[in-house]
Amino acid sequence: MKLLKDELFTPENFEQLPLQRVTERKKQTKPFMVTGGTIRPMVNGAVDTVEAIGFANGVVVATGSEAEVAAFMQANFPGYTTRKLEEGNTLLPGLIEPHIHLVPTAMLMGWTDLGAFDGQVLKPDYNIKSVGAIIAKEAKRLSNIDKTLWFLGANLDPALMPLLNNNTELLTIDIDLLDSITTDAPVCIISASMHTLYVNTPALSLIWNFPGNLELLQEYHSFNEYKSKTKGQLQEAAQMDPALKAIPPIQKADFFLKSFIYLKQIFETANSRGVTFMHDAGMTGGQKSILDAYLKVFAPTVRIGAATVCDTLEDAQNLGTFNIPGEYTDIYYSHVKVISDGSNQGLTGYQSDPYLCKPANNHGVYNFADKYDEKPTNPPLYFRDLMGHIIKDKKWPVMIHANGDLAVNFAIEAFKEFVHDPFAGVRHRIEHCSLTTQENLEDMKNLQVSPSFLIGHVGYWGYAFKNAIFGEKSNMLDLCKSALQQGMRITLHSDNSVSPLGPLRMMEQSVTRIMEADPAAGVLNAAENISREQALKAITYDAAWQCYAEQWTGSLKVGNFADFVVLQQDPLTIKNPFMNMRNIEVVETWVAGLKVYSTVVEEVSMA
């Protein structure tokens, strides 16, 4: 989205977006009390239960015994209604997704989905044959309509396809493979990690010949050299930018203009999975403008926090001084996002040792490496200057994307250099924080830096990591229990669209650590399994804390927003959580005392 900002976020495109409000925020419901079932307010992260909870004017007004709450409601809100949960139903604070990408995900939903997920479960027949059939059919259809149109695909993930060579090698997707599928239309596919584009020869030829790419592609002396060196695998911003520029303008405008449709779908899916708060982990000014425009048309059904992206010193210099968010507003900023490397499953996370699979001697990509030192073994000077300016000069909390073990080390070294008072209350985060050592975690604890884990690395990709990508090094993935034992707060995230929305699914994967690509292969590093109680805290109270939102949400303490979810079952007591916890039915989701999602509605008035 940042690469395309000048083409997507134009006044002409914004003028074509809907302007008239189509949904109004409903009037506040009458004050009401909930009893029965299991009620866990999660105050301060504790899983203790209460008999009753009262809501009024969009906030929590009372918790405690049924008699206490009833007396309070009668004294302060006469005429309130009451609701009794069915036996087994569980009321929790609204669940939190602390790291997602709203606008990029919405725009990519306009591309053909080539992903591995059916809901929150891996497709059993996800392979290059099934994916290739989709590509070939759609490319042929586009060619028959207009030969200038490109096939645009999203979410392709070879790390979730069957492994090759006795389960030791990932399928290599390159220009030759795509050409064998189709040359009927230019093909451009973005990987599930969003760090790689795959293109066929017709697309690469158009990229090479696109007038705006003369300067960007000057390192290549001919098309044949461009083709042979990239093999149609365009990684990270420098290589992806020329391809994105060459996509036909009519198609770029189309996925911009349809973003409202897909944003609405994202929020509806979130509500159906119990989510009431989302934190966007990399919002640019253009993206915020789209969300602001959306919220003028559609009443919000989730709360939104965000991190602003800083890739350059100029970005950092343009930051204002950080202030802890006070009164809640939609799309408040809590952090600065720095993206230091790529994706482990996409083989671009920056590693100290090369990946086990092809290509040989691949250490991944470090985004702040320079042309004289493409594989730095120490934090590059520009990266240190950027982090110093954000942390020391502008006083902002940083959430730094670091997947590979060397990228994590570099992040920690920067925090050591610039965090002079770890206990000043600044909530720095390492995002994904995939491969860590016990020493890393000890350093993070001492620096008061907390991890947010993309726990799907274990559940969805664990089998590929263990067998083809990392081998024994995969035991360094997502050390949830070790981090908790260090006394740190942890959170779990989806990085949507990298993995599906669903905090209950993330709970399940942190509790079981079963490798879902082959459940018979067992658990990835069972020593790192955490308890259900710890996992629930990670997707409620601690997630709110990490996003500077605990004063509003994440628990149902008196004064917090009436943002809550009613589940059909209690995730802390459900038998056999594997493939069951994620499928606990969300009966209702409420935001500010208003029901935004429901499967069963039943209220009884009380005099």
Side-chain angles (χ1 to χ4, degrees):
M1 295 301 101
K2 191 165 186 179
L3 294 174
L4 287 173
K5 65 181 185 300
D6 294 333
E7 298 170 75
L8 291 178
F9 306 115
T10 64
E12 293 78 15
N13 276 350
F14 274 102
E15 285 173 4
Q16 296 183 67
L17 291 174
L19 296 174
Q20 186 174 355
R21 194 164 183 83
V22 296
T23 60
E24 296 294 336
R25 179 170 277 285
K26 298 175 183 176
K27 292 181 180 179
Q28 286 290 337
T29 53
K30 292 177 65 176
F32 64 104
M33 178 179 78
V34 181
T35 63
T38 300
I39 301 173
R40 300 188 191 277
M42 299 299 294
V43 176
N44 296 323
V47 299
D48 301 340
T49 62
V50 296
E51 290 182 354
I53 187 166
F55 303 101
N57 302 320
V59 298
V60 181
V61 294
T63 63
S65 70
E66 184 172 350
E68 290 170 338
V69 175
F72 179 90
M73 297 299 288
Q74 184 60 41
N76 294 276
F77 304 100
Y80 72 95
T81 61
T82 190
R83 160 84 181 281
K84 186 171 184 178
L85 299 178
E86 294 183 11
E87 185 177 354
N89 282 188
T90 299
L91 188 151
L92 298 169
L95 309 182
I96 294 175
E97 283 275 2
H99 181 129
I100 47 92
H101 298 279
L102 288 167
V103 174
T105 298
M107 289 193 178
L108 288 174
M109 287 167 72
W111 298 28
T112 301
D113 183 19
L114 303 176
F117 299 103
D118 181 6
Q120 299 185 74
V121 179
L122 292 172
K123 295 176 180 176
D125 58 347
Y126 187 67
N127 53 52
I128 195 59
K129 182 178 180 180
S130 63
V131 169
I134 296 171
I135 297 170
K137 181 178 179 181
E138 181 63 10
K140 186 72 173 177
R141 186 187 72 84
L142 289 170
S143 178
N144 290 335
I145 295 172
D146 183 343
K147 293 191 180 298
T148 67
L149 296 177
W150 290 31
F151 170 87
L152 300 173
N155 305 319
L156 183 63
D157 197 337
L160 292 177
M161 291 181 176
L163 301 178
L164 308 175
N165 299 332
N166 295 318
N167 289 338
T168 60
E169 191 69 46
L170 299 186
L171 173 73
T172 298
I173 296 177
D174 60 14
I175 201 163
D176 294 331
L177 178 58
L178 291 181
D179 284 350
S180 73
I181 292 171
T182 185
T183 55
D184 286 337
V187 170
C188 179
I189 301 168
I190 193 165
S191 67
S193 69
M194 296 191 278
H195 289 266
T196 302
L197 285 173
Y198 303 102
V199 298
N200 68 353
T201 296
L204 197 72
S205 178
L206 290 169
I207 296 165
W208 174 258
N209 290 299
F210 186 71
N213 286 336
L214 287 174
E215 185 177 345
L216 294 173
L217 299 176
Q218 62 181 345
E219 66 181 282
Y220 305 102
H221 297 98
S222 67
F223 174 72
N224 286 337
E225 183 186 11
Y226 182 39
K227 182 176 179 178
S228 65
K229 283 191 173 180
T230 65
K231 299 179 181 178
Q233 303 165 323
L234 309 177
Q235 293 182 336
E236 299 302 321
Q239 292 187 346
M240 294 167 74
D241 192 10
L244 295 171
K245 287 185 181 300
I247 294 171
I250 190 172
Q251 290 184 274
K252 283 186 273 197
D254 184 64
F255 58 80
F256 177 92
L257 296 174
K258 289 181 178 175
S259 61
F260 274 28
I261 297 170
Y262 298 122
L263 281 168
K264 192 169 188 295
Q265 288 184 18
I266 291 170
F267 295 135
E268 288 173 348
T269 298
N271 291 154
S272 74
R273 294 177 185 167
V275 175
T276 61
F277 179 95
M278 308 172 93
H279 192 272
D280 191 290
M283 191 172 291
T284 63
Q287 292 177 38
K288 185 175 185 299
S289 295
I290 284 188
L291 277 170
D292 286 336
Y294 174 89
L295 293 172
K296 290 178 181 176
V297 176
F298 296 99
T301 62
V302 297
R303 302 188 190 277
I304 304 170
T308 184
V309 176
C310 275
D311 290 328
T312 67
L313 283 173
E314 183 180 4
D315 292 336
Q317 288 161 358
N318 289 333
L319 290 170
T321 302
F322 175 71
N323 292 303
I324 294 175
E327 185 177 354
Y328 175 79
T329 57
D330 286 319
I331 322 178
Y332 73 94
Y333 284 103
S334 68
H335 287 78
V336 165
K337 175 73 174 296
V338 174
I339 306 167
S340 68
D341 69 339
S343 153
N344 288 338
Q345 66 270 30
L347 310 183
T348 54
Y350 193 53
Q351 313 294 345
S352 56
D353 299 310
Y355 291 92
L356 297 182
C357 52
K358 297 177 183 177
N361 198 34
N362 173 28
H363 289 256
V365 177
Y366 196 70
N367 292 334
F368 297 98
D370 60 49
K371 61 182 179 180
Y372 303 108
D373 186 13
E374 294 184 350
K375 295 181 181 179
T377 55
N378 292 296
L381 179 61
Y382 191 88
F383 168 69
R384 289 170 52 206
D385 287 345
L386 177 66
M387 291 287 280
H389 203 79
I390 296 168
I391 296 170
K392 182 167 65 74
D393 298 339
K394 296 292 186 172
K395 316 295 184 188
W396 272 83
V398 174
M399 49 190 297
I400 181 168
H401 168 123
N403 258 314
D405 65 323
L406 197 49
V408 171
N409 287 343
F410 286 1
I412 291 172
E413 288 304 310
F415 285 128
K416 283 182 178 178
E417 185 172 1
F418 299 113
V419 176
H420 298 150
D421 182 2
F423 295 94
V426 182
R427 300 173 189 177
H428 298 296
R429 302 165 46 171
I430 299 182
E431 303 305 294
H432 315 321
C433 203
S434 305
L435 297 164
T436 53
T437 63
Q438 296 297 327
E439 183 180 356
N440 289 152
L441 296 177
E442 185 175 346
D443 285 339
M444 290 171 64
K445 168 61 177 175
N446 292 336
L447 292 162
Q448 296 296 293
V449 173
S450 62
S452 186
F453 294 115
L454 175 54
I455 194 63
H457 276 151
V458 171
Y460 292 135
W461 289 277
Y463 182 79
F465 281 138
K466 184 173 183 179
N467 288 279
I469 298 175
F470 290 134
E472 287 303 310
K473 190 176 176 180
S474 61
N475 285 326
M476 296 170 62
L477 281 166
D478 294 353
L479 303 186
C480 297
K481 187 171 184 178
S482 291
L484 289 169
Q485 288 174 335
Q486 286 284 352
M488 285 188 282
R489 300 173 189 260
I490 70 168
T491 64
L492 309 170
H493 68 257
S494 68
D495 200 15
N496 188 248
S497 63
V498 175
S499 72
L501 294 172
L504 291 174
R505 181 266 305 172
M506 297 187 293
M507 263 190 79
E508 177 193 313
Q509 289 176 328
S510 68
V511 167
T512 68
R513 295 180 70 96
I514 292 174
M515 296 179 285
E516 295 170 33
D518 183 4
V523 175
L524 181 61
N525 194 357
E528 293 299 325
N529 288 11
I530 63 175
S531 71
R532 301 180 190 204
E533 291 79 4
Q534 290 168 328
L536 180 59
K537 186 183 178 189
I539 64 168
T540 54
Y541 184 78
D542 281 352
W545 175 88
Q546 206 176 58
C547 299
Y548 285 95
E550 80 279 10
Q551 70 272 38
W552 308 309
T553 191
S555 72
L556 294 170
K557 70 178 182 182
V558 172
N560 270 19
F561 291 134
D563 298 353
F564 64 92
V565 60
V566 177
L567 304 177
Q568 188 179 51
Q569 295 174 273
D570 186 351
L572 300 192
T573 60
I574 185 175
K575 294 181 179 179
N576 186 18
F578 181 60
M579 289 298 168
N580 292 315
M581 189 179 287
R582 73 187 68 188
N583 292 320
I584 293 175
E585 182 182 1
V586 175
V587 179
E588 294 173 356
T589 304
W590 294 66
V591 174
L594 299 171
K595 195 179 299 178
V596 295
Y597 174 82
S598 180
T599 55
V600 178
V601 183
E602 221 176 315
E603 291 189 9
V604 180
S605 293
M606 178 179 179

